[in-house]
Amino acid sequence: MGSPYTLIANAPLDRRNTFRVPARAAWLAEVYAPAVLAELLAKPEANSRSMLVLGEGSNVLFTRDFDGLVVAMTNRGIEMLADDGESVRVRARAGEDWHGLVRWSLVQGLCGLENLSLIPGTVGAAPIQNIGAYGAELSETLEAVEAFDRHANASVRLTREQCGFSYRQSIFKQQPERWIITAVELRLRRNAPLKLDYAGVREELATMGVNAPTAKDVSEAVCRLRRRKLPDPAVIGNAGSFFKNPIVSNAQAAELQAAHPGLPVFNAPDGRKLSAAWLIERCGWKGFREGGAGVSDQHALVLVNHGKATGAQIWSLAQRIRESVQEKFGIRLEPEPRII
Ligand code: EPU
């Protein structure tokens, strides 16, 4: 067996971010086994430098080179830890592909992940922003996260409650220098009620000719919706939604709706969630392009790299979008990806 990690100086990151912007890391470590993390992080290349954990790079924008250590976990494997007939506890290592895990779960006849089909990225990245789509969030099926804690300099197992999940949020996102996620444990069910209420899902199932859907059908419907609505990062550089959907008070939502009829508003745990895509589209940005940086003509919330854009150019476009939404609607949009 080879070394459990590789360490490369001045490493190019162009192929390690789905925006496909040029950037370099002072050091890049590819780690095949979490057991070596303590040793790796004690080395001078890591010690006293900032650290960035990178999966597939599908939720990051590099506006400059990263003068620290990039850690990429490449440990793989999916296993069933326990099976009580009705539900199964599944453990997936961080380096697995997220959609690969979703497909595996469907082949096993398990439900819970179908609405999260086709989300780009690795399993280890999924808890960081508590990935969510089509009416489901990772936190609903996640039982625990295994991580290396740089504060304790030890591997730990965090229960769902300890992860501090909310909409696109977790302790891992709040303290990115502290945690390296090494595996995720999920509770998946053999027979769970399917989530069909998100706009478009039932319609897509009907178009498919399905009237008694299974989890596999829901997955297929979500894949079809995503392929139609979201630009494929393999074809055009992007990181999915560039801004979070803003959450405002009930009163502010009502005021905005009165002033802007048609503004989509959704229920959220602490207030009302607005559609950032709608706000951006109303400011005239959908399909906008300047040099290589642009806004997708398929979805106003997705910034794209038409080929030659730098991260700084995409970030500067994001600032302009943010200012115009602030000016027109009085709403401050928050970026969703990590900005370096
Ligand atoms: N809309 C527009 N213009 C557009 C696109 C959408 O006005 O160009 C409006 C429509 O009214 C639509 C509404 O926005 O009904 C919602 O659109 P969509 O269903 O596409 O969802 P979203 O709120 O824009 C969120 C997630 C996506 C996720 C979808 C589906 C965030 C920041 N984004 O987008 O997640 O796939 O819901 O569940 O919450 C991601 O995080 O990278 C991501 C793609």
Side-chain angles (χ1 to χ4, degrees):
M1 206 186 115
S3 164
Y5 65 83
T6 57
L7 198 53
I8 305 162
N10 192 26
L13 301 174
D14 311 29
R15 295 270 129 208
R16 288 177 185 267
N17 74 92
T18 61
F19 260 123
R20 297 278 180 265
V21 293
R24 302 188 88 86
W27 292 96
L28 168 71
E30 281 203 321
V31 182
Y32 310 103
V36 299
L37 280 169
E39 177 197 320
L40 167 71
L41 295 168
K43 289 176 78 80
E45 292 88 339
N47 212 330
S48 82
R49 278 177 193 273
S50 51
M51 178 190 80
L52 170 69
V53 183
L54 207 53
E56 248 175 65
S58 57
N59 207 46
V60 64
L61 176 64
F62 288 101
T63 64
R64 54 171 171 76
D65 291 340
F66 183 70
D67 184 31
L69 173 74
V70 167
V71 175
M73 295 302 302
T74 57
N75 57 332
R76 305 198 61 140
I78 306 174
E79 61 199 310
M80 293 196 189
L81 298 178
D83 184 347
D84 64 14
E86 202 234 313
S87 74
V88 177
R89 200 149 61 83
V90 170
R91 178 170 181 269
R93 297 203 171 97
E96 284 290 331
D97 169 60
W98 173 261
H99 184 62
L101 171 63
V102 175
R103 280 214 309 255
W104 175 91
S105 72
L106 294 168
V107 169
Q108 310 299 317
L110 300 171
C111 21
L113 302 183
E114 55 279 358
N115 296 52
L116 304 178
S117 296
L118 218 61
I119 297 181
T122 59
V123 164
I128 296 176
Q129 63 154 342
N130 182 22
I131 55 169
Y134 296 94
E137 272 186 4
L138 175 68
S139 57
E140 293 154 18
T141 47
L142 183 138
E143 275 210 343
V145 168
E146 294 171 28
F148 187 83
D149 177 359
R150 283 184 89 194
H151 287 188
N153 201 35
S155 293
V156 294
R157 181 178 180 278
L158 302 166
T159 63
R160 173 181 36 220
E161 289 68 31
Q162 291 172 312
C163 295
F165 290 123
S166 60
Y167 169 61
R168 296 292 191 274
Q169 196 53 269
S170 72
I171 58 164
F172 313 110
K173 198 169 180 179
Q174 280 156 358
Q175 290 182 291
E177 297 268 341
R178 177 168 178 185
W179 308 102
I180 301 172
I181 294 173
T182 54
V184 163
E185 289 175 30
L186 305 168
R187 166 81 55 188
L188 303 178
R189 300 190 181 278
R190 290 229 154 72
N191 286 300
L194 299 171
K195 294 198 175 102
L196 308 175
D197 289 336
Y198 193 91
V201 175
R202 285 183 203 277
E203 292 80 350
E204 197 63 37
L205 287 163
T207 311
M208 288 160 55
V210 174
N211 42 35
T214 61
K216 275 189 188 160
D217 296 324
V218 174
S219 169
E220 178 59 25
V222 166
C223 288
R224 289 167 58 131
L225 283 164
R226 289 189 72 100
R227 287 198 182 102
R228 206 161 59 230
K229 294 198 172 181
L230 295 167
D232 180 354
V235 178
I236 184 162
N238 76 83
S241 302
F242 195 86
F243 296 102
K244 291 199 255 186
N245 284 326
I247 295 175
V248 300
S249 69
N250 292 336
Q252 197 183 355
E255 226 171 83
L256 279 163
Q257 261 187 322
H260 307 281
L263 168 71
V265 174
F266 308 94
N267 288 327
D270 13 86
R272 309 270 276 159
K273 201 190 261 183
L274 309 179
S275 161
W278 193 92
L279 301 173
I280 295 168
E281 187 171 343
R282 290 304 132 138
C283 290
W285 291 108
K286 194 169 180 173
F288 175 87
R289 178 173 178 175
E290 188 174 78
V295 178
S296 168
D297 56 7
Q298 274 170 280
H299 202 300
L301 199 45
V302 182
L303 299 195
V304 292
N305 177 4
H306 287 283
K308 292 268 191 297
T310 63
Q313 286 164 340
I314 291 169
W315 183 231
S316 128
L317 172 59
Q319 305 299 322
R320 287 166 61 195
I321 293 172
R322 208 182 194 183
E323 280 157 24
S324 71
V325 168
Q326 172 86 52
E327 201 170 298
K328 192 171 166 74
F329 298 101
I331 298 281
R332 185 175 164 76
L333 295 179
E334 293 301 332
E336 196 215 36
R338 175 118 187 252
I339 313 297
I340 303 294

